[in-house]
Amino acid sequence: MNKFIHESWLILLMGATFAVLLAGAQTSLSGRIKENQEKALNEAIGAVVSGTVTTERVKINGYDRDVFKCLDTNGKMTGWAIEGVGMGFADKIRLVIGLGPDAATISGLKVIDNIETPGLGNKIADEGPDTFAEQFPGLRAVAEIAVVKGKPDEAGNEIQAITGATISSDAVAKIVNEALGKVRAELARTGAATGK
Amino acid sequence: MDFTSLIAVFLGVVLVNNFVFAQFLGICPFLGVSKNVSMAFGMGCAVTFVMTISGVVTWVIVHLILTPLGSRFLGNPESLYFLKYVIFIMVIASMVQLVEMYLKKFFPSLYTAFGVFLPLITTNCAILGACLLIDMNEVYQSSLVKSAVFAFGGGVGFAMAITIMAGIREHMRFSDVPKALRGAGITLLTACILALAFQGFAGIGK
Amino acid sequence: MANATTDLQQFKAGLFENNPVLVQLLGMCPTLAVSNSIENGLVMGAAVIFVLVMSNLITSLLRNRIQAHVRILIFTLTIATFVTIADMALKAYVFEVSKKLGPFVPLIIVNCIIICRAEVVAIKSSLRRSLADALGCGIGFTMALCILGAIRELLGAGGLTVFKDWGLAWHLDPKTFEPHAWVIMIMPPGAFLTLGIVIGVVNQYRARKAKGGA
């Protein structure tokens, strides 16, 4: 027993000290880390549903990602934000889709996480005028979105693929279509009931 | 469990996101132990073996011990996650020891084949990398079987990369390489061409 | 390094003639993985310097108490603890970059530079010497990352951007060069290519210097 203590007191002492140190770092920093993680999502929601100040998480049956009901300062509904995740060219893509209050039109799209090819596929995350994501606002949320290689048809709910990155473009459209397919019926119903 | 998604996970990590060529894990042994094919293959097998076991054990510890303990006693399932990294490295170190003893006792022939590589594996970042990637990706967080396939595939991908490299280096032994590039330099340049080739696999997961 | 007599020499050795990455070829995985931009290199370097300094100091402080057969365990325990702290600090203060570094921050635990410095220097040297060594090697590592990062970012992205969100931008406008950028340089093959060539250049330089000195 004595020999055991003699051999291992240092390790035990260090283990205990380190555990206290780690617990201290955890308590002092975890708040900030959580804030950072939520900030990224909240900023994205603000970008896709304009005028949003607060959000409420909504549970949609059959869809296991987050869906948010977005409200402005007066508590008036500004729209819906839906998180979508799916496989891209290299790895998974995570994005937020914004819908109008009636869940009938898309108000915006923002890619949060992706590691697509730099300069090609990662253009899906570009912001500003004439970018890939800018094609989404105004599309109908009640129908499937199609990806075309040439000029998109105004009436056809179409978007143009990024040159040289058809797979990434297709992946985004697929994620959006899948997410909307699962939530649109329920959102339209609740939106009609509470939006008035 | 649907079988095609497991195959997708396996091919994804062997070819598309190969540990060596796309994720830069296990570069040290890749440069150091790739001088001849049989040694490289032995190392690859040892890594695959330990990686699969460590991947499964760390998954079990995080999801069946840390998470329930945290939510039971501290109210938040993530409250004990700060111990993760310390636990991961301890698990890997003890797994390596266990595997070494087990092989020595029950499979002496296997032990002589790749026992020499086992102590080196503790500091092989591919093993810890596999555990961390499993821990960070929500697809694997929710499924032990997928995690196991991922860890196994990661090992197979590493073994493949290091064996290919050793094959090439054996052929290069008598090539006239500029003096400054001998050793690490030319190995890295060869790896560059291999990595380019592996880029061609990207997108087959779709 | 065996003939490094003063603390200052020990510090300088880590920077140049014993540079952990370019000469000793240690810590290759993070070098290849996070050298796709200067910014990643700087943040990664800072994390490694922090862990290296703490691990060297603690090892040196306890050097007369650590028994030989448990030393690796103690090194690993120390390193894992400080890596966890560094990881949390990065997530709290430079969230965007920490997301890009991904698993390579926790992977500092198995970075051979740190355990190597503890084993070679800290376990048998004074506190001051260990600190000098840690700073030298840490800064040497950061320097190597930044050199590679600068080459790859310049060629691959067409410009250099450092801490854009912090107002500290040193910005070479990517728009001027972007159409001519070689995207492959910031992808995996570019990492192998750049490191291979840089190591070749360093070897050539050292060979020439050795010849000139002899």
Side-chain angles (χ1 to χ4, degrees), chain A residues 19 22-23 26 34 65 85 87-92 94 115 117 167 170-171 174, chain B residues 16-17 76 78-83 86 136-139 199 202-206:
Chain A
L22 281 181
Q26 160 90 352
K34 210 160 185 123
R65 305 272 169 204
V85 178
M87 196 60 192
F89 184 65
D91 207 345
K92 68 174 185 182
R94 187 163 156 249
I115 55 160
T117 319
I167 295 182
D170 278 340
K174 192 175 155 219
Chain B
V16 184
N17 290 319
N76 178 356
E78 294 180 8
S79 52
L80 283 176
Y81 281 5
F82 66 90
L83 289 174
V86 179
M136 284 174 178
N137 194 325
E138 52 192 292
V139 175
Q199 286 283 312
I204 61 166
K206 277 284 305 172

Side-chain angles (χ1 to χ4, degrees), chain C residues 1 13-14 31 36 39 43 49 62-63 72 79 100-101 121 125 127 131 148 152 166 181 191 198 211-212:
Chain C
M1 139 200 62
T31 309
N36 48 3
E39 192 178 67
V43 173
I49 292 175
L62 298 172
R63 65 183 183 278
I72 299 290
I79 296 169
K100 277 187 217 146
L101 298 181
V121 175
S125 309
L127 216 51
L131 181 66
L148 288 171
R152 290 180 62 195
W166 283 15
V198 169
K211 219 191 226 165

Side-chain angles (χ1 to χ4, degrees), chain B residues 21 23-24 27 85 125 180 199, chain C residues 29 33 87 104 107 187-188 203:
Chain B
F21 295 128
Q23 318 219 35
F24 305 115
I27 300 292
Y85 301 159
C125 56
Q199 286 283 312
Chain C
C29 307
D87 183 49
F104 285 93
L107 278 173
M187 288 166 66
N203 279 344

Side-chain angles (χ1 to χ4, degrees), chain A residues 136-172:
Chain A
F136 283 86
L139 291 181
R140 276 173 286 130
V142 286
E144 293 268 301
I145 294 165
V147 183
V148 292
K149 284 198 176 168
K151 204 171 158 39
D153 180 5
E154 299 271 325
N157 226 28
E158 289 176 347
I159 52 164
Q160 186 178 359
I162 299 167
T163 316
T166 322
I167 295 182
S168 302
S169 315
D170 278 340
V172 171

Side-chain angles (χ1 to χ4, degrees), chain C residues 161-175:
Chain C
T161 316
V162 183
F163 296 118
K164 202 163 85 190
D165 302 335
W166 283 15
L168 295 171
W170 180 62
H171 196 95
L172 190 65
D173 189 13
K175 287 284 167 284

Side-chain angles (χ1 to χ4, degrees), chain C residues 18 35-36 49-50 55-56 58 67-68 95 116 131 137 149 179 191 202:
Chain C
N18 269 316
S35 64
N36 48 3
I49 292 175
F50 167 75
S55 129
N56 256 15
I58 287 182
Q67 285 137 334
F95 186 65
C116 168
L131 181 66
C137 283
V202 169

